[in-house]
Amino acid sequence: MQNGAQALIRTLVNAGVRVCFTNPGTSEMHFVAALDSAPEMRAVLCLFEGVATGAADGYARMAEMPAATLLHLGCGLGNGLANLHNARKGKVPVVNIVGDHATYHVKYDAQLQSDIETVARNVSPGFVRTSQTTEQLCRDAVEAVKVARSRPGQVATLILPADVSWGQGGVAEPAPAIAPPAAADDTTVQAVAAAIKAGGRSAVLLGGMALHEAALLAAARVAASANVKIYAETFPTRMQRGAGLPTVDRIAYLAEMASIQLKEIDTLILVDAKAPVSFFAYPGKKSYLPHDGCNVLTLSTPAQDAAGSLTKLAVALGAERSTPALAQASRPGRPRGKKLTAEKVCKAVGHLLPDNAILVDEAISSGLMLSKFTSGAPRHDLITLTGGAIGQGLPNAIGAAIACPDRPVLALIGDGSSMYTIQSLWTIAREQLNVTAVIFNNASYSVLNVELERVGADEIGPKARAQLDLHGPVLKFAQIADGMGVRSTRATTPDEFTTALERALATPGPHLIEAVVPPALTGLKLKLLPHLLGSLDRMPLSVARMLKRKIAP
Amino acid sequence: MQNGAQALIRTLVNAGVRVCFTNPGTSEMHFVAALDSAPEMRAVLCLFEGVATGAADGYARMAEMPAATLLHLGCGLGNGLANLHNARKGKVPVVNIVGDHATYHVKYDAQLQSDIETVARNVSPGFVRTSQTTEQLCRDAVEAVKVARSRPGQVATLILPADVSWGQGGVAEPAPAIAPPAAADDTTVQAVAAAIKAGGRSAVLLGGMALHEAALLAAARVAASANVKIYAETFPTRMQRGAGLPTVDRIAYLAEMASIQLKEIDTLILVDAKAPVSFFAYPGKKSYLPHDGCNVLTLSTPAQDAAGSLTKLAVALGAERSTPALAQASRPGRPRGKKLTAEKVCKAVGHLLPDNAILVDEAISSGLMLSKFTSGAPRHDLITLTGGAIGQGLPNAIGAAIACPDRPVLALIGDGSSMYTIQSLWTIAREQLNVTAVIFNNASYSVLNVELERVGADEIGPKARAQLDLHGPVLKFAQIADGMGVRSTRATTPDEFTTALERALATPGPHLIEAVVPPALTGLKLKLLPHLLGSLDRMPLSVARMLKRKIAP
């Protein structure tokens, strides 16, 4: 005889959910007590809910199976919302278990009472349900997992009232049947092939699952046989790259740069991606980035099989035996000089990145040169900030390390970003995860200095500047990390940094390296940027390309 | 000629909003740029939105005027939700300014796009609005402030699209007219007076604004002349107390204890309070705590004037000239012995609490003895966890210190609680606030060990225990604080702690003291607790009272 919580956990395990990232309170105590009834379910305690949700996101990106979260009522869900937003935008499956008051307690409007369902809808449009009885609970749970695991992946939120959890008579359900995604139909494939054959400059834009190896190789075969360029979406959920895989440029974050990339494209073919739009709106600038004459076609949607669709396209183009262009192995040299910069940190990463690493990039402005320096590094997976809600990188690293215990995880994080979920360090230490976190300490919300210029705000005064400035006091990340149990080093020269990174990568387990750097875009460069960007589309393409190589992500 | 953001800030200033707690992103850059146009508006940068919202909450509790927050789209609001929940439950006015994409950009579903209004409704039932034009903006803003400032105080959320912010033609509005709250009408007052005069055991239960001096004194006059006991709600928003003010017991957190308090009450009179309910539901236990025969009457609602209503009641009872019982000045001695305990920390606080201090209590299980040891301390304000969403204390301390720069703020925080908004320490350092934070480091979610027993979860295994255990690694708060720029001390003996507290209170500015203590309820005490509590209402009242004195908050 099982109670609801025990049957629920068994149902989750049956459905392939093997990790639960927890931050429980009283209303979740029966779920907590039930954890020991299922040896297959790993429970990972997080000290803040945003760590739990971001870890679940990172886990699923690598495991291709959802993790569960365990959150405490509406406030716990609220704290986890930003990273669930990132998961939603990345089409990543997550199953939230949100504890609630007992059904009969709701009417008393106790302190923690709030409307959980409205909050959940922000991130779980496809599945939000409050289980009303212990008998119904496992059927709800299996449906939640089914919604999460179907393509595109989704965040599903199951709200678990305490009495439904503690009630007797829970009956575990078997795994849900999940239909594999279908490839694009022949008509669509033929139409896309015809558009490519018609001539003009074409590009495929790969997103989501289309950035995994099989789809990348199929896209590269298409590119090799026809006049087709390959782009990746700006912020990939998970992109496989490095030596032996196709080199794929990402659409630039700065709309001005993206417009240059798209200027050359007459036919843009979407594969598990959407047509590029500006990250933010700017006065007098376009939001939608393909040019007016660009023909935008969809080969396959996020609900479909990207690799299968691209393979069919390759066949339709007679490209199935063409030889894809693959990145050659090449690494930058060891960075030299006296002064550490963000660029030199990225160079050291390219110099040392181990085989089969997982690279988490939330370096924001400090990561501008990362793609360039790692394009010929050994094969690795790149995880990026899919929803723009900073504070994702460290939690993602937790999840990735738990999904792939045999692979090193290297997380590059901006100082501003790191502070949203700095509590991650404790879980990294507690679980002794093989994560090396690099924090770029430039003592500013550096990218916002650029944005402040870009939005055309004039007369920028001291109070405004102070909102972007993290001086006074400058954060000491090495100390913060030590306080949470992670071994740490502070590096101020290229040699110190490179040596610290070598040592961290040679010793599995948690490490933090604080890289003290100037903002990546400072002084003259910062002042010039808006002007440069504004004039880019009037430049000769060769100059624009050079600049693009220099500053595109 | 003003843009929307400039006119909005001017409108906020006109309406009495003088501080903005910020965590901006690109969509808020025009608001940030406009800050320098209004010297009256102080801008306080926070590194996490939960710090900003909790600071706004703490500010308004003390200033009795709302602060603004500046948050970045739905994700920023999500991160701030837990402390806005605490503000909502505490009936505290807060005005959120949530930046959004430009109105015309929304349809492109860019990375940070989400449904902000649904999230906002969770905490702002009374006012959520997305301003659609620059012309309308300031009228919306003045209405938001009006809703926030009217009784009961509310959280109002104004969503500010980027183009509404940067658009020209903003026109600042004057301050809203806000009607003062009315006292209870004569009929109600007479009915309550008649119930008291009818005999039996009566109590007034004071909440919200009824815990400020004028209302407390009126309630104490009523108590002195009739057979009326005074209780305070379990988690006061702001309670004035100490020598020279009436001593008021709070209704206990543990429902079992609260039932004992309420057992003696035949008539319960609510003043800006609701009838006590259990914080959580427990299997087989009641949620609603007044006994079946208790007559519950409302003297005044949160929309009414508590002090005026109690004064009318005193007059109706002929008690207006009676002498209220006031707490005598008395302090506990300096704590002695070798081992530091949570009780000794509370004793040291009572021993040293300065005159006119603001005491923020989020010590959870470690604060059990705080009320007892500070009841005769010099007059102070007590701020507590109104909504049960932990992570409120440090942000509240920021807001209280900014509202009352001449008063020392002492924040007592559990280790688990502190980690939700540990980023607060940076803002405390940056603004050089006169805040002494005491973190009780007992390396556990101690209260959850109690709750795990209370919910009747049996067979508690190692995985379950691990979810409540903060060992491995033990957090080192002194180092974390140093890393964020706050001077810190680690205390392991009563003398070390008391000396550190003396020093901190003698030196205005930021301090953190890490108090290394065992869980307040351990070993035998913990094992006995559920049995004790279960048998309390079968005990002789004298024994129950003794126990109540020992463990009630």
Side-chain angles (χ1 to χ4, degrees):
Chain A
M1 187 68 163
Q2 292 186 303
N3 68 20
Q6 289 161 336
L8 170 59
I9 293 178
R10 177 54 51 199
T11 300
L12 292 172
V13 167
N14 290 347
V17 179
R18 299 302 169 94
V19 182
C20 182
F21 295 99
T22 75
N23 187 265
T26 299
S27 37
E28 294 77 46
M29 282 299 106
H30 285 91
F31 188 103
V32 166
L35 284 167
D36 287 280
S37 70
E40 306 93 327
M41 181 68 85
R42 180 170 177 180
V44 177
L45 177 61
C46 304
L47 299 186
F48 171 67
E49 293 89 345
V51 178
T53 56
D57 175 27
Y59 175 90
R61 292 188 195 208
M62 295 311 301
E64 298 190 23
M65 285 293 273
T69 64
L70 180 64
L71 307 173
H72 189 43
L73 300 101
C75 297
L77 179 62
N79 277 339
L81 213 63
N83 274 330
L84 291 171
H85 169 87
N86 287 321
R88 174 171 78 87
K89 288 293 186 171
K91 297 168 278 186
V92 180
V94 174
V95 178
N96 295 316
I97 309 295
V98 183
D100 194 4
H101 284 309
T103 51
Y104 61 82
H105 195 67
V106 168
K107 66 175 178 229
Y108 298 109
D109 192 28
Q111 272 91 340
L112 274 162
Q113 180 68 38
S114 76
D115 181 355
I116 305 175
E117 291 193 4
T118 65
V119 177
R121 262 179 220 111
N122 183 272
V123 288
S124 301
F127 186 95
V128 177
R129 189 174 303 166
T130 304
S131 271
Q132 294 299 330
T133 65
T134 304
E135 196 203 348
Q136 180 60 31
L137 172 61
C138 292
R139 289 195 293 274
D140 292 338
V142 87
E143 201 177 323
V145 179
K146 185 169 179 170
V147 168
R149 284 185 54 191
S150 298
R151 292 279 177 83
Q154 289 194 54
V155 177
T157 302
L158 179 65
I159 300 168
L160 175 61
D163 53 340
V164 172
S165 181
W166 77 52
Q168 290 297 317
V171 181
E173 292 281 325
I178 295 169
D185 62 41
D186 295 343
T187 314
T188 303
V189 172
Q190 291 306 330
V192 170
I196 291 172
K197 285 186 203 157
R201 297 162 302 179
S202 299
V204 287
L205 176 57
L206 309 180
M209 307 297 277
L211 293 167
H212 296 199
E213 181 174 4
L216 284 168
L217 289 172
R221 282 191 196 95
V222 167
S225 83
N227 182 24
V228 175
K229 196 156 167 48
I230 315 179
Y231 280 113
E233 60 189 347
T234 308
F235 291 103
T237 301
R238 175 187 174 189
M239 178 172 180
Q240 301 193 298
R241 63 194 295 273
L245 286 175
T247 301
V248 178
D249 280 353
R250 285 153 63 189
I251 297 288
Y253 166 75
L254 295 177
E256 298 87 339
M257 301 300 312
S259 295
I260 295 173
Q261 293 173 309
L262 293 167
K263 192 169 187 168
E264 306 167 35
I265 307 303
D266 301 315
T267 303
L268 183 67
I269 299 153
L270 307 177
V271 187
D272 196 351
K274 55 198 283 281
V277 298
S278 177
F279 203 94
F280 293 105
Y282 301 91
K285 293 186 182 155
K286 285 201 321 177
S287 291
Y288 184 76
L289 300 179
H291 59 81
D292 290 347
C294 181
N295 181 24
V296 179
L297 301 174
T298 297
L299 174 64
S300 64
T301 69
Q304 292 178 298
D305 174 12
S309 303
L310 284 160
T311 301
K312 282 180 78 170
L313 179 62
V315 171
L317 290 166
E320 70 268 38
R321 285 173 210 281
S322 69
T323 307
L326 304 177
Q328 299 296 307
S330 81
R331 287 181 182 274
R334 193 181 174 96
R336 303 284 171 198
K338 284 194 179 162
K339 208 180 140 190
L340 188 60
T341 62
E343 181 171 343
K344 287 179 186 176
V345 169
C346 295
K347 192 173 181 186
V349 169
H351 185 66
L352 294 173
L353 193 71
D355 190 31
N356 212 24
I358 300 167
L359 191 55
V360 178
D361 174 15
E362 197 186 25
I364 318 290
S365 66
S366 292
L368 280 179
M369 304 301 282
L370 186 66
S371 280
K372 181 184 146 181
F373 282 129
T374 54
S375 60
R379 251 188 97 113
H380 58 277
D381 284 271
L382 176 70
I383 283 178
T384 76
L385 180 58
T386 45
I390 54 177
Q392 174 202 40
L394 291 172
N396 269 194
I398 292 172
I402 287 175
C404 304
D406 300 328
R407 300 178 62 179
V409 178
L410 180 57
L412 306 181
I413 316 286
D415 49 357
S417 292
S418 75
M419 288 302 291
Y420 288 80
T421 47
I422 193 72
Q423 306 91 337
S424 303
L425 296 175
W426 183 83
T427 297
I428 291 172
R430 165 124 143 169
E431 302 288 330
Q432 282 296 297
L433 303 177
N434 191 12
V435 172
T436 298
V438 174
I439 312 272
F440 291 87
N441 193 347
N442 63 21
S444 76
Y445 286 132
S446 178
V447 70
L448 291 184
N449 276 304
V450 180
E451 296 288 11
L452 193 56
E453 309 272 358
R454 288 176 80 207
V455 299
D458 39 28
E459 297 175 41
I460 297 164
K463 237 194 291 182
R465 286 278 173 221
Q467 305 314 304
L468 317 181
D469 179 13
L470 307 186
H471 285 93
V474 173
L475 291 153
K476 292 179 278 185
F477 287 99
Q479 268 176 271
I480 293 171
D482 280 339
M484 297 193 201
V486 172
R487 263 165 304 182
S488 62
T489 316
R490 186 164 181 272
T492 60
T493 68
D495 189 58
E496 277 175 8
F497 180 79
T498 311
T499 304
L501 185 58
E502 270 168 338
R503 203 175 300 143
L505 294 172
T507 320
H511 301 273
L512 181 137
I513 308 173
E514 174 178 2
V516 180
V517 296
L521 296 158
T522 41
L524 190 65
K525 265 194 282 186
L526 179 59
K527 284 223 173 79
L528 282 178
L529 191 71
H531 308 286
L532 268 179
L533 292 173
S535 59
L536 273 179
D537 44 5
R538 287 184 300 278
M539 277 181 197
L541 261 181
S542 57
V543 177
R545 281 204 191 101
M546 181 276 292
L547 269 169
K548 193 192 97 185
R549 276 196 301 276
K550 192 76 191 155
I551 71 172
Chain B
M1 186 68 161
Q2 293 187 302
N3 67 20
Q6 290 161 337
L8 170 59
I9 294 177
R10 177 55 49 200
T11 300
L12 292 172
V13 167
N14 289 348
V17 179
R18 299 301 168 95
V19 182
C20 182
F21 295 97
T22 75
N23 186 265
T26 299
S27 37
E28 294 76 47
M29 281 300 107
H30 285 90
F31 188 103
V32 166
L35 284 167
D36 287 280
S37 70
E40 306 94 325
M41 180 68 85
R42 180 170 177 180
V44 177
L45 177 62
C46 303
L47 298 186
F48 171 67
E49 294 87 345
V51 178
T53 56
D57 175 27
Y59 175 89
R61 293 187 195 208
M62 296 310 303
E64 297 188 24
M65 285 294 274
T69 64
L70 180 65
L71 307 173
H72 188 43
L73 299 100
C75 296
L77 178 62
N79 277 339
L81 213 62
N83 274 331
L84 291 171
H85 169 87
N86 288 322
R88 175 172 77 86
K89 288 293 187 171
K91 297 167 275 184
V92 180
V94 174
V95 178
N96 295 316
I97 309 295
V98 182
D100 194 4
H101 284 309
T103 50
Y104 60 83
H105 194 68
V106 167
K107 67 175 177 229
Y108 297 110
D109 192 29
Q111 272 91 340
L112 275 162
Q113 179 68 37
S114 76
D115 181 354
I116 306 174
E117 290 193 5
T118 65
V119 177
R121 260 178 221 112
N122 183 271
V123 289
S124 301
F127 186 95
V128 178
R129 189 174 304 166
T130 304
S131 271
Q132 294 299 331
T133 66
T134 304
E135 195 204 349
Q136 180 61 30
L137 172 61
C138 293
R139 289 196 292 275
D140 291 339
V142 86
E143 202 177 322
V145 179
K146 185 169 180 170
V147 167
R149 284 185 55 190
S150 298
R151 293 279 177 84
Q154 288 194 55
V155 177
T157 301
L158 179 66
I159 301 169
L160 175 61
D163 53 341
V164 173
S165 181
W166 77 52
Q168 289 298 317
V171 181
E173 293 281 325
I178 295 168
D185 62 41
D186 294 344
T187 314
T188 303
V189 172
Q190 291 306 329
V192 170
I196 292 172
K197 285 186 204 155
R201 297 160 303 179
S202 299
V204 288
L205 176 56
L206 308 180
M209 308 295 279
L211 293 168
H212 296 198
E213 181 173 5
L216 283 168
L217 289 172
R221 282 191 196 95
V222 168
S225 84
N227 180 26
V228 175
K229 194 153 168 51
I230 314 179
Y231 281 115
E233 60 189 348
T234 308
F235 292 103
T237 301
R238 175 186 175 190
M239 179 173 178
Q240 301 194 297
R241 63 195 293 275
L245 286 174
T247 301
V248 177
D249 280 353
R250 285 153 64 188
I251 296 290
Y253 166 75
L254 295 177
E256 298 88 335
M257 302 300 313
S259 295
I260 295 174
Q261 292 172 310
L262 294 166
K263 195 169 185 166
E264 306 168 35
I265 307 305
D266 301 316
T267 303
L268 183 66
I269 299 152
L270 306 177
V271 187
D272 196 353
K274 55 198 283 281
V277 298
S278 177
F279 203 94
F280 293 105
Y282 301 91
K285 292 185 183 155
K286 284 200 322 175
S287 291
Y288 183 77
L289 301 178
H291 61 79
D292 290 346
C294 181
N295 181 24
V296 179
L297 301 173
T298 297
L299 174 64
S300 64
T301 71
Q304 292 178 299
D305 173 12
S309 303
L310 283 160
T311 302
K312 284 179 77 168
L313 180 61
V315 171
L317 290 166
E320 71 268 37
R321 285 173 209 280
S322 69
T323 306
L326 303 178
Q328 298 298 307
S330 80
R331 287 182 183 273
R334 193 180 174 97
R336 303 285 171 198
K338 285 193 179 162
K339 209 179 138 188
L340 189 60
T341 61
E343 181 170 343
K344 287 179 186 174
V345 169
C346 294
K347 192 173 180 185
V349 168
H351 184 66
L352 294 173
L353 193 72
D355 192 30
N356 212 23
I358 300 167
L359 190 56
V360 178
D361 174 14
E362 196 187 24
I364 318 288
S365 67
S366 292
L368 280 178
M369 305 301 283
L370 186 66
S371 280
K372 181 183 146 181
F373 282 128
T374 54
S375 60
R379 248 189 99 112
H380 58 279
D381 284 271
L382 175 71
I383 282 178
T384 77
L385 180 57
T386 44
I390 54 178
Q392 175 201 41
L394 291 173
N396 270 192
I398 292 172
I402 286 175
C404 305
D406 300 327
R407 300 177 61 178
V409 177
L410 179 57
L412 306 181
I413 316 286
D415 48 359
S417 293
S418 74
M419 287 302 291
Y420 289 78
T421 46
I422 193 72
Q423 305 91 337
S424 303
L425 296 175
W426 183 83
T427 297
I428 291 172
R430 166 122 143 172
E431 301 288 330
Q432 283 295 300
L433 302 177
N434 190 14
V435 172
T436 298
V438 174
I439 312 270
F440 291 87
N441 193 348
N442 62 22
S444 76
Y445 286 132
S446 179
V447 70
L448 290 184
N449 275 305
V450 179
E451 296 288 11
L452 192 58
E453 309 271 358
R454 287 177 80 207
V455 299
D458 40 28
E459 296 176 41
I460 297 164
K463 237 193 292 182
R465 285 278 174 222
Q467 305 314 304
L468 317 181
D469 179 13
L470 307 187
H471 286 93
V474 173
L475 291 153
K476 293 179 277 185
F477 287 97
Q479 269 176 269
I480 294 171
D482 279 338
M484 297 193 200
V486 172
R487 262 166 304 182
S488 62
T489 316
R490 186 165 182 272
T492 60
T493 68
D495 189 59
E496 277 175 9
F497 179 80
T498 311
T499 305
L501 184 58
E502 269 169 339
R503 204 174 300 141
L505 294 172
T507 321
H511 301 272
L512 181 137
I513 308 172
E514 174 179 1
V516 180
V517 297
L521 297 158
T522 42
L524 189 66
K525 264 194 282 185
L526 178 60
K527 284 223 175 76
L528 282 177
L529 191 71
H531 308 287
L532 268 179
L533 292 174
S535 59
L536 273 178
D537 44 5
R538 289 185 299 277
M539 277 183 197
L541 261 181
S542 57
V543 177
R545 281 203 192 101
M546 181 275 293
L547 270 169
K548 193 191 94 183
R549 275 195 302 276
K550 192 78 190 154
I551 71 172

